[in-house]
Amino acid sequence: MPSTQPTSVLPIPPPPPRSTLSLGMMFRLRDAKRRWPFAMRAALCMGIPVVAGWALGDTSAGLMATTGAFTALYGSDRPYLNRAYYLALIALAFTIAVSLGVWAQATPWMVVPAIALMAMVATFLCNALRVSPPGAYMFTLACAAGTAIHAPHLTVGHTALLVSAGGVVAWIAHMIGAFFWPRGPERKAVAASAEAVARFIEAIGTPAQDAARHNAAQSMQESWTTLVSFQPPRPRPDGTLSRLRAIGRELNQLFAEAMSATGPLPAAAIDQARGLGAEALSPQPGAERTDPGHVPLGHHGVVDSLRESLAPWSPALLVTARVGVATAVAGTLGAMLGLERAYWCIAAAMLILHQGLDWARTLQRGVERMAGTMVGLLLAGSILALQPGGLWLAVTLMCLQFVIEMIVIRNYALAVVFITAAALTIASGGHPVPDVGHLLWVRGIDTVIGCVVGLGVFALSNPRVATARISAELARTLEAVAATIRHMAKGDVLTAEAREARRDLQHRALTLLGAYDRSAGSSPRYGAEAERMWPAVVTTQRLCYRVLSTCWAMENSDPAATAETTRTLFGPGGERAILAALADLEWAVLHDDRPQQTAPLPAFVATELQNLRDSLVPEST
């Protein structure tokens, strides 16, 4: 039975340090997980089309196909059946992007609008549908490459076939693992969530508790997305998937117990979490388990994600608008200055904006891009001067791609050195470059123009929107809490509607912290305003997880006693009191007003609601 006792008051941890520009970051290596298998696959996918083109006597056609091979950079964490469909769509998107570029190449004035359009569409869809890095940038780069690769003998139809062939190579390379470890992605997702839960349990009672709980909740949601959202609606009976879902349910219960705990849990709970993670990775069947029947939901589906992203002032729309303005301005400037390949201006502007980072990280990305490009031009000049052809060209591109994937997470500025060299080598089309020095000079100018334009557009569009987004997300989160409370008050936690309400609540809790992160990294003035709202962000998240943990406890209680459990939790008039308090808090958030003192509240949320109310009272009062 869920606890009806008020939870203890935890101090508000200090806000995370604000992001700032750090030139020292360009000389540091960050930690990264095991990357060499991914890097090797990407390198092979890059080299195979070039070798095939050389063997058939048309190296430029092979280079055109490498743009489809960029499909290998996506979807590596998805279950194999879902990955098959996902990568097919990615390959199709690359085919459309490059074909659009080749079509625009025939009409010079269409080049800039076509690439800018591709940048906007790719940015919106990748942000709305949570396409992981490199995200929208590679589609824009592929479109730009279609306008520049020297292959006049290839029609748009031939280009589409070549890019699709490159996508097929990447698809096959991605799917080979299904023959050796068919449920590998699901196993790794459950193991990662188990480790995150163990770290949360270790952090209970320490200043790191809130951050560890957030990381665990995010990891659990990713796990359920892999086990539920990325599976067929009615999967065939499968012992491994059922066992992994059952392990996930046990982790969920352990996570709920940890969130409801009033003090540190015994060390056995940490061992239990890590033991479940080890069992998920083990090829041995382990304890007999069956599909639990009802499981949490993961991320929103495509329709819900698009609907949320199309809402006015959504992060996806704001990022898309910035990219649209920046690419149009950068492309126009490049054309006005007579730069032969103005699309590099567009690519540079789009690169630093498309991920929707805060101001500090956007500035950091711009500086790293410009510095890395200047050094990368020296490497590119050396490669182009040597004019590698045939097999040597394939080996060169494979080595460059391998190094890129090995270091891009560890040090972006260093990765840009090799990204620049690879991009110029592909753009050469396997033909000698008559004036290498001029090409490098123009590429450097293009990059500087694009980065400066991107930073300028961000600076002009950033200021007040940032902190307003926190208030809007706080209000949406409180609405999600109210929706879940309505189901709980009826003793309803397992119907489809109740499970969707709980999924939405967890989604809002995670989105809220993301809104804070983006806002705190804005200008000093508005970053300080965001920090003023930090206590409200923390206490709202605690309220969310208190409600969710109570739902999980109700879910695991005796069904015959559900009505009595609900009466004990809410008492007479409890639902009405909670909803009234939530409505009052939402009004205070949206109107920057002082919340009213509310009637007595049910004990299971009384502390969290009171803490939230206190966080919204101005310090002067």
Side-chain angles (χ1 to χ4, degrees):
M1 178 176 173
S3 172
T4 58
Q5 299 300 314
T7 52
S8 57
V9 177
L10 289 173
I12 302 295
R18 289 193 221 168
S19 303
T20 56
L21 176 64
S22 172
L23 297 180
M25 288 290 291
M26 293 190 292
F27 304 98
R28 269 183 257 158
L29 290 176
R30 291 178 287 274
D31 291 333
K33 62 183 181 180
R34 186 166 161 263
R35 293 279 297 175
W36 72 264
F38 179 85
M40 183 64 72
R41 179 173 61 206
L44 286 172
C45 292
M46 187 65 63
I48 289 172
V50 179
V51 171
W54 167 76
L56 295 173
D58 194 343
T59 302
S60 59
L63 286 169
M64 185 69 78
T66 61
T67 55
F70 286 139
T71 300
L73 305 181
Y74 297 82
S76 60
D77 57 345
R78 290 187 172 234
Y80 285 107
L81 181 59
N82 178 272
R83 188 186 302 189
Y85 297 107
Y86 180 75
L87 292 180
L89 289 174
I90 293 289
L92 176 61
F94 274 117
T95 301
I96 294 171
V98 179
S99 299
L100 177 63
V102 172
W103 171 79
Q105 185 183 39
T107 310
W109 67 267
M110 282 294 297
V111 170
V112 170
I115 300 174
L117 175 63
M118 177 56 61
M120 291 181 66
V121 172
T123 296
F124 176 77
L125 291 176
C126 288
N127 278 274
L129 302 179
R130 299 179 302 278
V131 175
S132 57
Y137 176 66
M138 296 308 301
F139 300 105
T140 306
L141 188 64
C143 181
T147 69
I149 292 180
H150 181 67
H153 61 294
L154 298 177
T155 65
V156 174
H158 290 146
T159 297
L161 289 174
L162 287 169
V163 178
S164 298
V168 169
V169 170
W171 189 94
I172 293 172
H174 254 298
M175 297 301 296
I176 286 176
F179 294 101
F180 304 100
W181 207 24
R183 290 293 182 185
E186 292 94 331
R187 291 176 183 273
K188 289 192 288 187
V190 174
S193 66
E195 180 60 28
V197 170
R199 290 182 179 178
F200 168 53
I201 296 172
E202 288 176 328
I204 291 176
T206 72
Q209 176 174 334
D210 287 290
R213 183 188 56 218
H214 173 79
N215 292 336
Q218 194 163 34
S219 187
M220 288 296 301
Q221 188 183 45
E222 296 292 344
S223 174
W224 287 118
T225 297
T226 301
L227 295 176
V228 179
S229 303
F230 288 166
Q231 303 294 338
R234 292 183 178 83
R236 290 178 297 178
D238 185 287
T240 302
L241 180 58
S242 296
R243 186 165 65 88
L244 291 172
R245 284 178 170 178
I247 293 173
R249 281 279 299 162
E250 290 187 38
L251 282 169
N252 233 74
Q253 293 166 17
L254 189 57
F255 185 37
E257 291 172 12
M259 287 197 295
S260 300
T262 57
L265 294 183
I270 301 172
D271 295 336
Q272 181 185 355
R274 291 201 165 109
L276 289 170
E279 185 179 346
L281 291 174
S282 173
Q284 302 302 320
E288 183 66 27
R289 285 183 168 88
T290 58
D291 195 316
H294 55 274
V295 293
L297 302 177
H299 285 300
H300 284 145
V302 172
V303 174
D304 288 334
S305 296
L306 289 174
R307 185 184 298 115
E308 181 182 25
S309 297
L310 286 169
W313 301 105
S314 72
L317 283 182
L318 287 172
V319 173
T320 302
R322 284 176 183 151
V323 166
V325 173
T327 53
V329 172
T332 302
L333 280 176
M336 290 174 60
L337 293 174
L339 301 175
E340 303 100 292
R341 300 187 180 186
Y343 69 82
W344 288 121
C345 297
I346 296 175
M350 188 262 190
L351 175 69
I352 64 174
L353 293 175
H354 76 99
Q355 289 180 291
L357 304 175
D358 60 36
W359 166 247
R361 285 180 288 180
T362 299
L363 181 59
Q364 182 82 32
R365 178 60 58 93
V367 171
E368 290 177 341
R369 183 71 187 190
M370 287 187 281
T373 297
M374 297 308 138
V375 179
L377 292 175
L378 300 178
L379 176 60
S382 301
I383 293 173
L384 294 176
L386 292 172
Q387 298 180 10
L391 292 177
W392 283 113
L393 178 60
V395 170
T396 299
L397 286 174
M398 289 173 66
C399 291
L400 289 172
Q401 192 65 39
F402 181 83
V403 174
I404 289 168
E405 300 308 328
M406 286 296 294
I407 64 176
V408 68
I409 293 177
R410 293 177 170 86
N411 187 297
Y412 179 72
L414 181 58
V416 170
V417 173
F418 298 92
I419 291 170
T420 301
L424 286 175
T425 303
I426 293 173
S428 71
H431 300 284
V433 177
D435 190 344
V436 173
H438 175 71
L439 173 65
L440 301 182
W441 169 257
V442 172
R443 173 63 194 274
I445 295 297
D446 287 342
T447 299
V448 172
I449 290 174
C451 288
V452 170
V453 168
L455 291 172
V457 168
F458 189 98
L460 292 174
S461 64
N462 180 54
R464 185 66 187 173
V465 169
T467 49
R469 187 179 297 144
I470 298 180
S471 297
E473 288 298 340
L474 280 168
R476 292 190 188 102
T477 305
L478 293 174
E479 289 175 2
V481 172
T484 305
I485 289 291
R486 291 189 184 96
H487 288 286
M488 291 174 64
K490 300 173 186 174
D492 171 17
V493 291
L494 292 180
T495 63
E497 294 80 6
R499 291 167 68 226
E500 287 175 4
R502 290 158 62 186
R503 177 200 61 191
D504 293 344
L505 177 55
Q506 180 148 324
H507 171 70
R508 295 259 66 95
L510 298 174
T511 302
L512 175 59
L513 192 59
Y516 173 82
D517 288 340
R518 287 189 294 270
S519 301
S522 59
S523 65
R525 174 187 171 188
Y526 294 111
E529 284 192 27
E531 285 189 350
R532 181 179 61 83
M533 303 179 75
W534 171 248
V537 171
V538 173
T539 51
T540 300
Q541 273 210 317
R542 289 176 179 174
L543 172 64
C544 293
Y545 291 123
R546 178 61 171 165
V547 171
L548 286 169
S549 64
T550 306
C551 286
W552 287 326
M554 290 176 64
E555 180 180 302
N556 295 318
S557 62
D558 184 1
T562 299
E564 180 60 29
T565 299
T566 303
R567 280 194 296 271
T568 303
L569 278 174
F570 285 89
E575 177 190 6
R576 186 166 56 252
I578 295 174
L579 295 178
L582 290 170
D584 178 59
L585 290 168
E586 184 180 344
W587 170 271
V589 165
L590 291 176
H591 297 86
D592 198 18
D593 198 3
R594 181 190 180 104
Q596 300 298 313
Q597 191 70 41
T598 56
L601 295 163
F604 79 97
V605 291
T607 300
E608 285 76 10
L609 286 170
Q610 183 61 43
N611 290 345
L612 178 54
R613 179 194 174 279
D614 293 343
S615 73
L616 296 174
V617 175
E619 292 182 5
S620 59
T621 61

